[in-house]
Amino acid sequence: MADFDELGDVSARDEIRPREIAALAIAAVAIPLLGWAFWALVLGLGANDFHDYWLAGKLILQGQSPYDSAALAETARREGLSFLVGGGYSYPLPFAVAMVPFALLPFAVAVAAFGAISLVLFGLTVAAWLVWAHGRAPVGGRRRLVAALAAGLYAPIYGTVAMGQANLVLFPLLGIGTVLVLDGSTSARRFLGGLLVGLAAIVKLVPGVYVAPLGLGRRIGAALGIVVGMLGSLAAAVVVAPWAAAGSGGLASLLDPDAFYTNQSINGFVSRLVVSSDKSVAPWSGGFDPRPVMLVATAAFGLLTLLVLWRARGQMLSRRGLALGLGLALVAGIVGAPKESFWNGSIALVAVGLLLAVDAPDLRLRVLGRTDLGLLGAWFGSALVWAAVWGIEPPAAGPLAPIVTLAWSSSLYGLVALWCLFVRRLRPGQASAETTIS
């Protein structure tokens, strides 16, 4: 907590009691915890993705590579596990090494522990963030509590827990790291912030996009910390388990077209237009090769984001501008990353947190204006729409087939709306008078 409070004065900091920290954390996890209980106890469904993590750790213990899909499937059969294997383990090696302690536990115990740890870390990060960003402003505790509840209501959070995804475990790394690269009072603290972000990026890759706005904001040490965090953790994992890197070159398959319903990136949208799946029928089946279209569209979106950041490079030298630049880059990374699942949209909360920290420190959202508030609502609401489609699972074929296919990308549309919101806030006329940060 000391790092979160380093810029605050003592009198304001003392107003935040430990009891409120606990209340904010509980509020943040209340809804996803209930959803997880419903998923596991009422529906009797399992945390599908955690199977890959647990088995990856198990394979490392057995002296095998987690990227060996045949070995993964055989180990699952031997352990009596039934789940959707998909592409097998598809994360960089450091995360598989980190899963070894869980692989030492029976699967049922491991998945329960992983889910509980995920929720605790998420709740504490949300609480700490709200205190850092809004605890010193003249804002009532009730608005902070509502913000914590809203964070937990964001649909990808529930999906992350239900599916046994890794996003919430990374929240402290990304959350604290973001605070330090933005508000770190020394170069060492900013480097540490980058290092934490890099550790998150070696798992989910997307946070690595922070390098662009940090470079424009002359936070070279923080950007270097991200690179060191990513490459250093990768090197350490290879040293610890050199045999486990075999077959990791297959990660390049992430660039392949993928029409799977959870894919909320540009890749997923383009792929579903011409490739049918078990939940969607392609409106233009086989109409074009999705790979070049997807790659060109993603590259164009990335270049457009870089152009926006470049034009706002002067603002990157201010705290507000850098916060908005980091948020824009993070959202763009989620949209553009190939095969980015709905659950991975969880980290968009950090981007929104940055926006509110600098443009709505008292959590009165009306200061954003009607258009920007509408874009923020579209982002949040689109995730709920996607979750509703996921729960209903409308028939893929039939007269509504094109609508159903497009509906499977509803969360993507909201993320694009959020990207537009950041672009608008970075307009020169939106900049507030601030002193330049060193």
Side-chain angles (χ1 to χ4, degrees):
M1 289 298 299
D3 289 329
F4 276 81
D5 292 325
E6 68 176 274
L7 298 182
D9 59 77
V10 175
S11 60
R13 188 164 64 244
D14 287 344
E15 294 176 2
I16 304 297
R17 302 177 180 178
R19 181 178 298 178
E20 182 177 0
I21 296 290
L24 290 172
I26 292 171
V29 304
I31 295 173
L33 178 59
L34 290 174
W36 184 28
F38 178 78
W39 178 268
L41 302 178
V42 178
L43 299 180
L45 299 174
N48 188 80
D49 292 355
F50 183 75
H51 289 78
D52 283 335
Y53 307 161
W54 187 82
L55 289 167
K58 183 72 71 175
L59 287 174
I60 289 178
L61 288 173
Q62 296 171 179
Q64 296 176 280
S65 170
Y67 302 103
D68 187 338
S69 297
L72 186 142
E74 172 58 25
T75 304
R77 185 197 63 76
R78 191 166 58 247
E79 295 288 340
L81 299 178
S82 177
F83 67 106
L84 180 62
V85 176
Y89 179 77
S90 56
Y91 293 85
L93 183 58
F95 187 61
V97 173
M99 289 297 102
V100 167
F102 289 96
L104 294 171
L105 301 172
F107 180 80
V109 176
V111 70
F114 187 80
I117 291 171
S118 297
L119 285 173
V120 169
L121 293 178
F122 172 72
L124 290 176
T125 303
V126 169
W129 183 284
L130 288 172
V131 170
W132 162 73
H134 309 289
R136 305 177 194 92
V139 52
R142 182 174 299 178
R143 287 201 292 277
R144 285 192 291 269
L145 194 65
V146 171
L149 283 168
L153 182 60
Y154 185 46
I157 301 300
Y158 156 69
T160 290
V161 180
M163 300 303 292
Q165 263 278 347
N167 300 296
L168 303 192
V169 174
L170 304 177
F171 255 76
L173 298 174
L174 182 57
I176 298 175
T178 298
V179 169
L180 289 176
V181 300
L182 180 66
D183 277 351
S185 56
T186 66
S187 58
R189 289 195 176 203
R190 293 192 289 270
F191 177 82
L192 175 60
L195 195 68
L196 294 175
V197 172
L199 293 177
I202 195 59
V203 179
K204 289 296 182 180
L205 301 182
V206 169
V209 298
Y210 273 6
V211 169
L214 287 173
L216 292 173
R218 301 178 187 173
R219 294 295 181 99
I220 305 303
L224 179 61
I226 294 177
V227 176
V228 171
M230 295 181 70
L231 298 183
S233 59
L234 182 60
V238 172
V239 169
V240 170
W243 66 88
S248 58
L251 292 176
S253 64
L254 292 174
L255 297 175
D256 293 340
D258 181 12
F260 195 62
Y261 71 100
T262 63
N263 188 354
Q264 295 302 293
S265 64
I266 293 173
N267 178 313
F269 175 79
V270 172
S271 297
R272 279 189 286 272
L273 292 178
V274 292
V275 179
S276 297
S277 69
D278 61 331
K279 296 186 185 297
S280 63
V281 175
W284 297 286
S285 182
F288 56 83
D289 182 354
R291 181 189 291 271
V293 175
M294 174 266 294
L295 292 176
V296 169
T298 301
F301 181 73
L303 290 174
L304 182 58
T305 301
L306 288 174
L307 177 61
V308 172
L309 289 171
W310 176 255
R311 294 184 64 181
R313 61 190 181 280
Q315 297 184 52
M316 297 297 113
L317 299 176
S318 72
R319 180 177 185 268
R320 177 183 182 271
L322 182 58
L324 294 178
L326 292 171
L328 174 66
L330 192 60
V331 174
I334 299 171
V335 172
K339 300 189 180 183
E340 191 74 350
S341 75
F342 175 72
W343 336 117
N344 291 346
S346 300
I347 60 177
L349 284 178
V350 175
V352 174
L354 285 166
L355 167 68
L356 299 182
V358 295
D359 279 0
D362 62 356
L363 288 174
R364 296 183 186 275
L365 300 185
R366 62 175 177 269
V367 302
L368 299 178
R370 183 177 301 177
T371 300
D372 289 355
L373 193 56
L375 291 171
L376 187 64
W379 159 73
F380 193 89
S382 68
L384 294 175
V385 170
W386 190 94
V389 175
W390 178 41
I392 296 170
E393 286 196 21
L400 298 179
I403 296 176
V404 171
T405 298
L406 293 176
W408 282 117
S409 295
S410 55
S411 182
L412 170 65
Y413 311 144
L415 288 166
V416 172
L418 185 60
W419 181 88
C420 292
L421 169 56
F422 276 97
V423 172
R424 285 175 52 84
R425 303 307 292 183
L426 275 170
R427 291 178 302 173
Q430 292 288 333
S432 60
E434 287 191 284
T435 57
T436 299
I437 56 177
S438 58

